[in-house]
Amino acid sequence: MKDTLHKKLRAIKEVQLIRGVQIPVGLEFRQLIVTGPPGSGKTYYINRIRGWPNEGYLDLTQKGWWRNRSLIYRPREIHLGIPYEGIKEALAVFDQEWLDLETDAMKIDYPRIRIPPKANSPFSTNWRDQYIFEFLLPDPAVIFERRMKRQNEGYFPVDTNLTLDTVVRQVDAYSRIALFLHRAGVNVYIRSDLTQPPMLIIEKGEVALPPWAVSGIDTAPSLKTLTGWKQMLLRTGKLPWVTVTDRLQDISTASRIAHDGKSLELLLGRMHLRLSPEIPLGAGKRYLRQHKCWTIRKPESCSDRHIRGFARINPGETVILGRSNKDYNDLFSFKKDVAKRHASLTNRKGDLIIKPLDPGNSIKIVRLEDRDTREEITENRVIAMHAVRRIFGGKIRLLPPVQALDLIQSVNHILAQEAYRPPAEDGMPGGLLELPDEPSPVVVGDLHGEVDNLLKIITENCLLEALQNNRAFLCILGDAVHSENLHQMENMDSSMLIMDMIFVLKKKFPANVFYLRGNHDDFSPELSKNGVPQGILMKKALEQARGHAYVTAMQDFYDRLPYLIVSSSFVGVHAGPPRQDTTKEQLINVRFHPNIARVLINNRIKRPHYLSGYGKPEIKALRKTLGVPKSTPVIVGHTPLDPFGAVWQNVGAIKAHHIVHSSHQKGPGYFIRIKKKMIAQIYPAEPLTKLINRLK
């Protein structure tokens, strides 16, 4: 069984020694919850740091478990109750029902896990930051040896009939829960040995550190003291407040900048970055109170020549700016006079804390324009929104039947002679799309009827201008249809509308917009989700709204789609690589190889509950078949790993194997190429259909 946390752990450098154990700087004992499988050393650890000796049990499916009385006394050891699909009650990994489960049936039911809420006002409890979970996860062989040794002493019933395979499964269950909680925003770190530093979970593309893992950042004021109330009400504290002006100011000590809705320029040596409050269009006051995010980007506005990227600092996060931060270095190409660890930026409830990390390197701030971020948005985004209206021919709404039929027939004509597709045996464009090195690709995952997410992608970053001037490829990996919103699965209006939009883009930019076939791009009666026959419902909705001729044209569209994209920058496919030996010629002629075609749109990454899926050998074989270097990113959609994310990188411990979903209701994820590297980006959601339709 593969290690769920393989290559996802990074040692915490800022630690303090407490009773012989390395503890992260900034962590308070009253926050600490210690958990892990039997035999991981929880009791020994708690006794050593003089925590509360009694064990506790936490059912992660219990409503409001964060208020459980077992968590009042901390630090203490806690056993977790984990939900599994098909089993009503949560199970501990030492319950007999859990031990009797077959490996194939051990699929954690993540949606049943409840996540602590954040504070939505100064007077409510921020349960998300109330606890820090420390997962003790030694090597399974070490745990097995410990438990066999103590079993000989005859007083540990949980060690009866123990096997190494059982221990491996128990460690894997806790590893998966640790990763899930981390992705959900819960404070988590990992410890494999008390003699070693604790480790943070840092996934590819993740650059944020929790404040308690970075030294020198003072904690938020406690409302249990008069001083804390003064700090909150009078905005006083240890860190000096800095007012940003139009004059350059040196930052020589940790300084605090208020979230005033305006951008500022940050100069690291000769490197120039712009820090801006992120204010999504249409966001209400309540949303903005809870989501005071900052973005970091180069100061140049977007252009039709270069697709640019950005980074985000969410409340409670800290990022390190410097050449040692590989993800940021890929994004911003730091100059040589930027130190390896130049500065840290912390978002504390919206206020920005800038702290120098290298005394020999300067940090300066200045405000070049005294404009609110909303004014900048109006200047840049509204132009793109007007362009969308012009391209779509008016408001964003379903096209009339005659116009819709004419549009899809035009698109099918384009697909019959689509660019960059080597011909198949029948002379039609084949199933493989071979893109040149230029323009720059923008790779979008499953959209599943989220019209606003598609609008967000095409109205940002000057993408429309880049498409117009042949500076970008827009590559959609299939499954634009069929909502995954529980209350919208039977409604096909959003599916029809998003396909109308894609058809308009394809007709407008025939050699720059591409769509791969996904498993939902079908009318099959077998196509269903949660018991909803979406394939049949889509066909019925199209017949009722636009007639039989349109349904026939849509089936022609499905049949003419490519299945894979290959370029020097990436390989794209909806679901995953073939599981059998396949030649490039077979991929080009995939319409005549239905078994291969079925796998390309239905495959999934191999996991404990899906052992028939693909793994590292199949990814390597696909790269070899397509003749691309072994480091070429393989980007797929189809399989979101948890409810919280939109992008997952190096999935399955496979280097440069990424999953992207663009249908998340909190905003789309996608990939863009920057400096010859595919960079993940995530946008916040915006009600763009409504806003564009209001434009005059």
Side-chain angles (χ1 to χ4, degrees):
M1 183 178 293
K2 290 185 178 180
D3 181 3
T4 300
L5 299 175
H6 180 59
K7 294 185 178 180
K8 288 184 172 67
L9 300 178
R10 184 181 302 172
I12 300 174
K13 296 181 179 180
E14 292 83 3
V15 295
Q16 54 190 327
L17 202 63
I18 297 180
R19 301 188 182 101
V21 180
Q22 298 178 72
I23 302 291
V25 169
L27 180 147
E28 297 182 10
F29 265 25
R30 287 174 298 174
Q31 294 175 285
L32 189 59
I33 298 173
V34 179
T35 189
S40 57
K42 299 186 296 298
T43 302
Y44 172 78
Y45 175 45
I46 290 295
N47 290 337
R48 184 166 176 175
I49 62 176
R50 300 177 189 175
W52 293 90
N54 297 326
E55 298 179 354
Y57 174 76
L58 203 60
D59 180 351
L60 294 177
T61 68
Q62 180 186 18
K63 184 177 180 180
W65 59 255
W66 42 91
R67 296 186 179 89
N68 193 304
R69 293 187 61 83
S70 65
L71 302 179
I72 293 176
Y73 304 104
R74 304 186 296 272
R76 69 182 304 173
E77 62 174 296
I78 293 291
H79 295 288
L80 299 181
I82 304 171
Y84 287 86
E85 292 188 1
I87 299 174
K88 184 177 180 180
E89 304 294 335
L91 301 177
V93 297
F94 48 78
D95 287 340
Q96 191 59 47
E97 189 173 0
W98 189 94
L99 296 171
D100 291 340
L101 279 175
E102 296 291 337
T103 303
D104 292 347
M106 300 184 68
K107 186 176 182 180
I108 297 176
D109 195 353
Y110 291 110
R112 288 169 55 195
I113 297 177
R114 297 178 183 268
I115 301 301
K118 291 185 177 181
N120 53 23
S121 74
F123 304 100
S124 60
T125 302
N126 187 346
W127 291 105
R128 193 76 59 86
D129 289 337
Q130 193 83 355
Y131 307 115
I132 297 174
F133 283 81
E134 178 174 345
F135 280 75
L136 293 185
L137 298 174
D139 184 272
V142 173
I143 296 179
F144 180 70
E145 183 179 351
R146 288 178 187 169
R147 295 178 63 180
M148 291 302 294
K149 183 177 179 180
R150 73 184 189 182
Q151 175 62 19
N152 293 333
E153 300 175 13
Y155 61 92
F156 281 93
V158 296
D159 298 335
T160 305
N161 301 321
L162 185 68
T163 65
L164 178 59
D165 178 65
T166 298
V167 177
V168 169
R169 291 192 296 137
Q170 291 174 334
V171 171
D172 181 68
Y174 271 84
S175 298
R176 292 177 184 277
I177 293 298
L179 184 59
F180 177 83
L181 293 178
H182 164 75
R183 289 171 172 169
V186 178
N187 294 310
V188 168
Y189 69 91
I190 309 296
R191 193 188 296 275
S192 61
D193 192 314
L194 290 183
T195 64
Q196 301 295 322
M199 295 172 288
L200 286 173
I201 300 175
I202 301 290
E203 297 190 86
K204 178 69 175 176
E206 214 171 52
V207 293
L209 302 177
W212 50 265
V214 181
S215 62
I217 302 298
D218 60 311
T219 57
S222 171
L223 299 184
K224 296 180 180 180
T225 64
L226 179 60
T227 302
W229 278 96
K230 287 181 177 179
Q231 289 184 27
M232 185 192 75
L233 297 175
L234 302 179
R235 300 178 71 83
T236 61
K238 297 179 182 178
L239 295 177
W241 288 89
V242 175
T243 301
V244 187
T245 68
D246 59 358
R247 294 187 178 184
L248 278 174
Q249 299 181 66
D250 287 304
I251 302 295
S252 55
T253 61
S255 304
R256 190 167 186 166
I257 298 169
H259 187 286
D260 60 359
K262 299 178 181 180
S263 300
L264 63 112
E265 316 302 311
L266 178 70
L267 282 73
L268 308 177
R270 292 177 299 156
M271 188 72 192
H272 185 183
L273 297 173
R274 175 165 294 168
L275 308 180
S276 303
E278 185 177 60
I279 306 178
L281 294 176
K285 292 182 179 180
R286 181 176 180 181
Y287 175 91
L288 293 176
R289 282 198 301 267
Q290 299 177 15
H291 300 83
K292 291 184 177 181
C293 302
W294 288 79
T295 61
I296 311 172
R297 66 181 76 232
K298 288 188 175 181
E300 301 93 340
S301 61
C302 64
S303 71
D304 61 7
R305 288 182 173 272
H306 302 289
I307 304 294
R308 304 191 186 280
F310 69 95
R312 178 185 293 107
I313 315 177
N314 296 309
E317 292 181 342
T318 297
V319 300
I320 305 299
L321 296 180
R323 288 183 287 111
S324 63
N325 186 333
K326 184 179 182 302
D327 299 305
Y328 272 29
N329 204 17
D330 291 343
L331 194 57
F332 300 123
S333 300
F334 289 125
K335 300 180 185 299
K336 291 184 178 180
D337 61 344
V338 175
K340 290 185 177 180
R341 289 167 56 86
H342 202 118
S344 71
L345 302 181
T346 297
N347 181 340
R348 181 180 300 161
K349 297 182 179 179
D351 295 333
L352 195 63
I353 297 171
I354 303 178
K355 180 189 175 187
L357 298 179
D358 192 307
N361 288 276
S362 67
I363 301 176
K364 298 178 185 295
I365 59 172
V366 67
R367 176 162 287 148
L368 299 180
E369 295 181 338
D370 193 28
R371 294 193 304 167
D372 189 274
T373 302
R374 290 182 186 269
E375 295 176 295
E376 297 178 25
I377 291 173
T378 300
E379 181 178 299
N380 297 322
R381 296 285 310 290
V382 172
I383 295 173
M385 291 161 63
H386 275 292
V388 169
R389 283 196 59 149
R390 287 195 300 272
I391 291 172
F392 201 70
K395 292 185 176 182
I396 308 299
R397 55 191 175 192
L398 287 172
L399 296 176
V402 174
Q403 185 179 350
L405 179 60
D406 180 67
L407 175 62
I408 192 173
Q409 288 175 340
S410 298
V411 169
N412 285 341
H413 179 71
I414 294 170
L415 291 179
Q417 48 192 356
E418 191 169 30
Y420 308 125
R421 291 174 64 180
E425 295 172 355
D426 59 359
M428 293 289 289
L432 182 62
L433 184 65
E434 295 183 325
L435 296 182
D437 293 343
E438 294 294 340
S440 297
V442 176
V443 183
V444 177
D446 304 30
L447 285 160
H448 286 297
E450 293 296 332
V451 174
D452 286 337
N453 284 4
L454 177 58
L455 290 171
K456 176 67 174 174
I457 291 169
I458 65 175
T459 57
E460 285 278 7
N461 225 342
C462 292
L463 180 56
L464 283 176
E465 291 92 331
L467 292 172
Q468 180 76 49
N469 294 295
N470 195 31
R471 297 290 182 179
F473 286 132
L474 176 61
C475 307
I476 302 173
L477 301 182
D479 279 14
V481 297
H482 301 163
S483 174
E484 292 192 323
N485 186 323
L486 187 61
H487 304 293
Q488 296 293 324
M489 286 186 176
E490 297 183 11
N491 190 330
M492 295 297 142
D493 286 353
S494 64
S495 296
M496 289 191 285
L497 178 57
I498 203 166
M499 291 311 300
D500 283 350
M501 293 174 58
I502 291 171
F503 293 154
V504 168
L505 291 171
K506 181 64 178 177
K507 184 178 180 180
K508 180 71 174 178
F509 312 112
N512 295 84
V513 174
F514 300 98
Y515 187 93
L516 296 189
R517 186 163 188 173
N519 63 306
H520 280 261
D521 298 308
D522 203 317
F523 294 136
S524 171
E526 299 177 359
L527 180 58
S528 67
K529 183 176 285 290
N530 289 1
V532 178
Q534 292 180 311
I536 293 176
L537 292 179
M538 181 69 171
K539 183 177 182 180
K540 182 178 179 181
L542 290 175
E543 285 182 335
Q544 291 178 345
R546 294 173 173 176
H548 181 72
Y550 190 91
V551 173
T552 301
M554 182 65 83
Q555 185 63 60
D556 289 343
F557 169 76
Y558 292 152
D559 293 339
R560 297 182 183 192
L561 288 173
Y563 284 73
L564 292 101
I565 301 175
V566 61
S567 75
S568 62
S569 302
F570 77 104
V571 173
V573 61
H574 175 68
R579 293 195 298 265
Q580 62 193 68
D581 291 338
T582 308
T583 65
K584 186 174 180 179
E585 289 70 25
Q586 288 175 318
L587 296 177
I588 292 173
N589 290 281
V590 70
R591 290 196 308 275
F592 307 107
H593 301 277
N595 291 336
I596 297 176
R598 192 176 304 111
V599 172
L600 294 175
I601 64 175
N602 287 288
N603 207 355
R604 296 187 188 275
I605 181 74
K606 185 181 294 183
R607 289 181 287 177
H609 62 279
Y610 194 79
L611 297 177
S612 61
Y614 66 89
K616 188 174 183 179
E618 288 78 16
I619 293 290
K620 291 176 64 177
L622 179 62
R623 291 181 178 130
K624 185 176 180 180
T625 298
L626 296 175
V628 297
K630 62 180 181 180
S631 59
T632 303
V634 176
I635 304 175
V636 304
H638 188 56
T639 309
L641 297 188
D642 60 60
F644 309 103
V647 177
W648 301 268
Q649 303 193 59
N650 298 321
V651 177
I654 306 171
K655 188 175 181 180
H657 164 241
H658 314 314
I659 295 176
V660 56
H661 248 240
S662 303
S663 61
H664 201 290
Q665 293 184 20
K666 291 186 178 180
Y670 68 106
F671 278 88
I672 60 176
R673 189 180 71 193
I674 299 176
K675 299 290 185 181
K676 298 184 179 181
K677 294 185 178 180
M678 298 303 294
I679 305 292
Q681 302 276 259
I682 299 175
Y683 284 135
E686 291 179 341
L688 287 174
T689 303
K690 183 186 300 183
L691 296 175
I692 290 174
N693 287 345
R694 287 178 179 174
L695 290 176
K696 296 182 180 179

